[in-house]
Amino acid sequence: EMTSAGLLRSGEDDNGSDPDPYSCCSVMCNGCRPSHKLGYTLADCSCSCVCGWCQVIGVHIPVTCCRACCCYDCAALPYSKTLWNRQYYAILQFLRTFIGNVPYSNLYLVQWITSWPWPRMLLPAGLSTSRVDNAEAHGEWLKPSGDRRPSRTILYFHGGAFLLMTANSEHLVPSSLMKALDDTQVFTADYPDVPERDLHTVVDSAVSTYRWLTKQVRPESIIVSGESAGGCLAVLLMLKLKQLGEPLPRGAILMSPWVKLDPIDTPSWESNNYTDYISFSAVVKEAFTLSANGGRIDDPSINPYFASEQLLQGLPPMWISVGGAEILRSCIEDFAQRARGVGVPVELYVGEGMAHVYQMFACCVARPPTADLLPWACCCRLCCADMFLETPAKHPVWTSFESARRWELQLGDVQAVSKDPNSSVAQQLGSDL
């Protein structure tokens, strides 16, 4: 069967024979080896893949970096330089170039690159990590250093369109969230990638991880969280748990959740097409085609945007962050409004001028409000000060974390009244929509 990514599955090539495990691709390129191990073979020749990557690395990225650095002062920015400072502008242009020009014909090479572990020295200081691999769960613990056991637990799902990234490569956002909430530990979960698994299997994996976690901590102390596809998976997990009649988590913290797999025909897709880095229709269509994997795009078990009012009713309180300049804004706001309409307490935080999952820019674009949020590599806590002189302390990448912290502190009150959508607390938490 040929997938839309240009790969063949089931251990056969297009002539019906087994793929050659000693082909030039599998021997020379680490990114191709997983495809042979899993029974895939490249449909496009390796030469086109190599040429595509050489063009991205040798031409597109250097030109974009030079243009971003040299043309910033004369660029017509859609937002103020306080929000779109030099670092933000450079990162945004780099991501647009990388995502828009990567040769996706070899999906496994892209997966291999995006699975590289995030450097420990770039995480905040005072964290310890440990790996978990058992029959029920796979992932990594992020815990504060020391013997004290935190009172809060976050189950975090990484993003990557269900295709890319791993728990090991996605430590920056959950570690910053953990520091912001204080007295918190985070389990960043790994889950199967599509297309070798469908989304139903991915949700089942999330349920298994949640059950494993509830054997260690009480469900009422767990907050499910995630960004982009991980935010979508967090919502799908809550919907599945509700259908199964199992204990629900305390709440959900969602950052730019991909709640609608096909977001192209929406107002924000048009208005924010040039201010976001994932606004490439071909790439987005490829991602949701592989994620749906032949299923109905309006199936609420894989696409929470189409969940009925009955399914949404009774979900835990949610804090949702969305970038004011991201293409998913309309979908996220619509989903939040529908959830509020059936009595789910929802607080929506809009980061002015920000792109998709802007929290991952963190220390790259704005100096954090406290020194303990700086990367561990900043040993003197002052080495980056000159980079952020033009950026005030209250930048959306950090004020969003503060908003999530305040929401979490009120969560106990919300839990007591969340069954009554007319209560004052529920109305107050939903008032930002």
Side-chain angles (χ1 to χ4, degrees), residues 313-325:
Q313 196 169 21
L315 289 184
M318 291 184 278
W319 180 90
I320 302 177
S321 167
V322 59

Side-chain angles (χ1 to χ4, degrees), residues 267 294 429:
L429 288 179

